[in-house]
Amino acid sequence: AAPAVNGPEKIVQNVCAACHGADGNSVITTNPKLAGQHPEYLVKQLTNFKEGTRANAVMSGMAGALSQEDMEGLAKYFSSQSIKLNKAKSNGKGSLGEKIYRGGIAATQVPACAACHGATGAGLPKQFPRLAGQHADYTLQQLRTFRTGERANAPMMMTIAGKMSDAEMQAVADYIQGL
Ligand code: HEM
Ligand code: HEM
């Protein structure tokens, strides 16, 4: 018989896996991959969903049912999984996405993403999330919700997204998927 599964593993199997994959590699591209993400960042997001500063109908309900201990256990579980990379969308040298990621947009004073998310997209400790390998559809959606203010838990990102056009968001999201 299989050993009894308790704690975070049980919550993952019963709840999170349906949308994020048992190993944190979601298949549906509007659901974020959680594998390999910084645990501190994951705990902050769950707390923000619970408090409502990050508005999302699905995740607010989910996070509302979790204790601090559950959140920390789930964050540790997902952060220790390995992210599976997608096929690159656009990682060509000289692409608009690469230019924005590495150099920002001078005309509108958008800073380089690499400054806070790292040259390899692995993020920086502890609250600067990993972006590399994330689904482009999810990244684009986050940039949009930072711009509308629906995702109000990140003043820096709201300012940055507020200065970006749809085409710039799409280009950098595609680049990030292939990072
Ligand atoms: C976002 C955790 C269950 C759908 C997130 C994020 C975390 C998370 C940490 C934010 C990721 C990031 O910022 O990169 C969890 C945990 C779950 C769970 C620990 C189980 C307790 C689910 C389920 C669904 C779901 C069952 C689908 C019914 C989503 C979606 C987003 C999201 C759509 C993106 C929300 C947005 O656009 O802001 N989840 N999740 N999650 N999750 Fe979950
Ligand atoms: C979060 C993209 C520049 C700091 C995020 C997220 C995305 C993103 C998609 C959400 C990740 C997720 O939900 O898993 C970008 C892009 C940038 C950029 C495309 C360049 C155009 C920067 C810069 C800084 C920064 C320059 C620092 C000054 C942060 C922080 C978070 C974040 C702190 C976490 C917010 C939270 O706690 O919810 N970024 N970023 N980003 N970014 Fe950026």
Side-chain angles (χ1 to χ4, degrees), residues 15-16 19-20 31-32 41 54 56 58-59 62 138 141-142:
V15 188
C16 326
C19 298
H20 294 285
N31 295 350
Y41 169 80
R54 181 170 175 181
N56 182 268
V58 173
M59 280 309 304
M62 224 63 78
Y138 170 76
Q141 170 186 298
Q142 294 313 300

Side-chain angles (χ1 to χ4, degrees), residues 32-34 37 40-42 44-45 48 54 100-102 104-105 110-117 124 127-131 134 138-143 146 151-157 160-161 164 168-169 172-173 176:
K33 294 182 189 176
L34 304 178
Q37 189 56 276
E40 297 83 358
Y41 169 80
L42 293 176
K44 177 179 181 283
Q45 299 313 304
N48 291 164
R54 181 170 175 181
I100 296 170
Y101 191 83
R102 312 229 163 255
I105 308 166
V110 171
C113 319
C116 296
H117 295 284
L124 301 174
Q127 295 292 355
F128 298 92
R130 174 191 179 90
L131 301 181
Q134 187 59 268
Y138 170 76
T139 299
L140 177 63
Q141 170 186 298
Q142 294 313 300
L143 291 171
F146 282 132
R151 180 166 173 183
N153 65 340
M156 284 183 273
M157 284 310 305
I160 290 167
M164 294 177 74
E168 289 162 349
M169 288 181 177
V172 80
I176 283 167

Side-chain angles (χ1 to χ4, degrees), residues 4 9 15 23 25 32 42 56 72 80 83 86 99 114 122 126 143 149 163 169-170:
E9 285 85 355
V15 188
D23 65 351
N25 286 289
L42 293 176
N56 182 268
E72 286 170 10
S80 67
I83 191 165
N86 291 2
K99 283 184 189 146
K126 300 180 176 175
L143 291 171
K163 297 175 184 168
M169 288 181 177
Q170 182 75 65

Side-chain angles (χ1 to χ4, degrees), residues 64-82:
L66 301 173
S67 66
Q68 181 68 25
E69 195 190 352
D70 292 335
M71 290 183 188
E72 286 170 10
L74 289 161
K76 199 174 160 195
Y77 173 90
F78 283 116
S79 67
S80 67
Q81 304 292 316
S82 305

